[in-house]
């Protein structure tokens, strides 16, 4: 039987050990970048598909008693739908817990179904909560994501620990040198995004050392139909920066950009954490109303073809933000302090 001293020493050794980082195959490039920022290599795992469409994934190293982080962004692409990727994440988390991992953190840069966070019609599903239940049911101890659609809904859906990262600091760093000599107004494309846009505005004002104005556009959605209302705020002769959490079909951003131009904005940029660019987004956002579009690589811009949108698109690497979060989570640091930077 081990003495209390030796058991304590062994526990301290486990805590001091580096975190184990996995990335499922579909998110390998992002995972490698996260691991590189941590000075680590991705740990080896196996993913195997079967002829009938089923699959399995397992770690190829021992994870017993270790803190494990799994990088996997849940967007659909090619042969793997959103649901395929979600199942692969669930099964791999379960395999890690069965292999006696001390803790498993799901690092999910883009969290699927986060927009379906409330009942908007009778008998509507609240899919955000169902996804949370699935992730918890396989034993996840924590989930880390970036700029969800509704922060309160995300935090309330999960019973395991949640961490929410924000890309505004990354965006400010990109915009400051480009807007240093410009009169700027930050625009929220709808009332629900005002808090996110105002946080960006305050950060940008601090970095520029001067006041930055605010504006917002009205948007009503009913049965899948969007109705846009006039912009509230002065954008005339200013560079407008529209801030949102994600770009899907691009309809909202394109309409807001057109309204800003019609009201006399000299330039219009869009900044969104997640660029899905589905449907007619390349055409809508490639129009002349938008000067530039900035997103992170939480979702690769694989749907953007060569053309006007690709020419004006900038993709910012968010892997360093996730690496810093993992470093703080593993070492007992502050996520709040990280987000204030």
């Amino acid at each position: 039987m081990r003495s209390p001293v030796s058991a304590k020493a062994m526990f301290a050794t486990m805590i001091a050990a580096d975190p184990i980082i996995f990335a499922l195959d579909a998110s390998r490039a992002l995972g490698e970048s996260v691991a590189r920022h941590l000075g680590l290599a991705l740990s080896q795992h196996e993913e195997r598909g079967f002829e009938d469409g089923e699959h399995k994934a397992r770690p190829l190293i021992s994870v017993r008693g270790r803190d494990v982080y799994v990088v996997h962004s849940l967007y659909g692409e090619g042969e793997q739908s959103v649901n395929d990727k979600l199942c692969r994440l669930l099964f791999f988390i379960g395999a890690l817990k069965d292999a006696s991992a001390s803790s498993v953190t799901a690092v999910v840069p883009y969290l699927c179904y986060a927009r379906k966070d409330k009942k908007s019609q009778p008998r509507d599903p609240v899919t955000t909560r169902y996804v949370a239940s699935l992730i918890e049911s396989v034993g996840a101890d924590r989930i880390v994501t970036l700029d969800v659609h509704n922060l309160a809904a995300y935090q309330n859906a999960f019973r395991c620990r949640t961490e929410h990262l924000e890309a505004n600091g990354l965006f400010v760093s990109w915009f400051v040198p480009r807007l240093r000599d410009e009169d700027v107004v930050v625009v929220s494309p709808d009332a629900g995004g005002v808090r996110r846009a105002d946080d960006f505005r305050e950060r940008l004002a601090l970095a520029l050392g001067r006041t930055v104005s605010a504006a917002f556009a009205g948007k009503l959605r009913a049965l899948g139909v969007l109705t846009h209302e006039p912009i509230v705020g002065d954008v005339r002769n200013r560079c407008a920066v529209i801030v949102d959490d994600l770009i899907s079909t691009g309809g909202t951003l394109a309409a807001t950009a057109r309204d800003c131009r019609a009201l006399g904005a000299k330039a219009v940029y869009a900044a969104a954490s997640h660029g899905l660019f589905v449907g007619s987004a390349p055409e809508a956002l490639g129009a002349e109303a938008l000067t530039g579009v900035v997103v992170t690589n939480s979702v690769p811009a694989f749907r953007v073809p060569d053309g006007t949108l690709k020419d004006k698109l900038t993709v910012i690497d968010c892997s360093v933000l996730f690496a810093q979060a993992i470093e703080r989570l593993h070492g007992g640091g502050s996520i709040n302090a990280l987000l204030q930077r």
Side-chain angles (χ1 to χ4, degrees):
M1 181 175 179
R2 289 190 179 93
S3 69
V5 174
S6 62
K8 182 177 179 180
M10 184 176 68
F11 178 74
T13 300
M14 286 184 176
I15 294 298
D18 288 332
I20 292 178
I21 313 293
F22 290 98
L24 294 182
D25 289 347
S27 293
R28 185 168 185 85
L30 184 58
E32 286 177 339
S33 185
V34 170
R36 185 168 58 251
H37 286 299
L38 288 166
L40 302 173
L42 287 179
S43 295
Q44 296 299 307
H45 77 289
E46 176 193 31
E47 286 183 57
R48 181 181 173 191
F50 299 97
E51 291 79 2
D52 61 357
E54 294 182 2
H55 49 79
K56 75 169 187 178
R58 67 185 179 107
L60 294 178
I61 65 166
S62 173
V63 296
R64 182 177 298 276
R66 300 291 296 276
D67 293 330
V68 180
Y69 297 80
V70 183
V71 179
H72 195 47
S73 201
L74 297 176
Y75 58 90
E77 62 174 328
E79 296 181 353
Q80 287 193 27
S81 70
V82 169
N83 298 331
D84 291 331
K85 288 189 175 183
L86 177 60
C87 280
R88 287 173 185 263
L89 176 63
L90 295 173
F91 298 163
F92 192 59
I93 291 172
L96 291 167
K97 295 299 286 191
D98 284 348
S100 299
S102 176
S103 70
V104 178
T105 297
V107 180
V108 185
Y110 177 71
L111 179 62
C112 61
Y113 295 109
R115 286 174 284 179
K116 195 66 190 85
D117 54 23
K118 62 180 180 295
K119 291 179 179 287
S120 53
Q121 300 179 70
R123 296 170 295 281
D124 247 6
V126 186
T127 320
T128 299
R129 178 163 55 83
Y130 310 155
V131 169
S133 296
L134 288 170
I135 292 173
E136 292 164 355
S137 69
V138 293
D141 298 279
R142 182 192 286 114
I143 183 167
V144 182
T145 192
L146 177 71
D147 281 324
V148 293
H149 186 65
N150 184 327
L151 178 57
Y154 162 72
Q155 292 172 333
N156 287 324
F158 284 88
R159 296 297 173 264
C160 68
R161 287 167 287 176
T162 59
E163 303 294 346
H164 182 256
L165 307 183
E166 299 174 353
N168 275 347
L170 300 175
F171 291 143
V172 167
S173 296
W174 188 87
F175 276 106
V176 163
R178 292 161 178 82
L179 301 179
R180 191 174 300 280
D181 300 320
E182 302 289 347
D183 191 5
V184 185
V185 57
V186 174
V187 183
S188 171
D190 54 43
V194 168
R195 189 205 69 83
R196 180 182 298 104
D198 202 49
D199 176 75
F200 173 81
R201 183 189 62 79
E202 291 179 353
R203 288 169 176 263
L204 184 63
L206 182 63
L208 292 173
R210 64 174 187 273
T211 300
V212 173
S213 300
F216 71 91
K219 182 179 76 172
L220 300 176
R221 185 188 298 271
L223 300 178
V225 178
L226 284 177
T227 302
H228 295 276
E229 300 295 329
I231 289 176
V232 177
D234 186 11
V235 300
R236 184 174 298 278
N237 296 323
R238 292 175 172 172
C239 287
V241 181
I242 307 168
V243 178
D244 210 350
D245 61 315
L246 65 87
I247 299 171
S248 182
T249 62
T252 297
L253 282 178
T256 305
R258 289 194 299 269
D259 289 344
C260 288
R261 288 289 195 177
L263 292 171
K266 62 186 295 188
V268 182
Y269 293 88
S273 301
H274 313 292
L276 299 180
F277 300 116
V278 297
S280 60
E283 292 77 22
L285 299 175
E288 62 183 13
L290 275 167
T291 307
V293 179
V294 187
V295 296
T296 77
N297 60 341
S298 65
V299 178
F302 62 92
R303 293 191 181 97
V304 180
D306 291 340
T308 53
L309 176 56
K310 192 168 187 177
D311 292 341
K312 66 176 71 173
L313 179 65
T314 298
V315 180
I316 296 176
D317 184 13
C318 65
S319 63
V320 64
L321 183 61
F322 282 98
Q324 290 169 342
I326 290 172
E327 183 176 41
R328 287 167 182 257
L329 290 172
H330 188 67
S334 170
I335 296 295
N336 286 334
L338 170 62
L339 296 180
Q340 296 306 311
R341 296 168 60 180

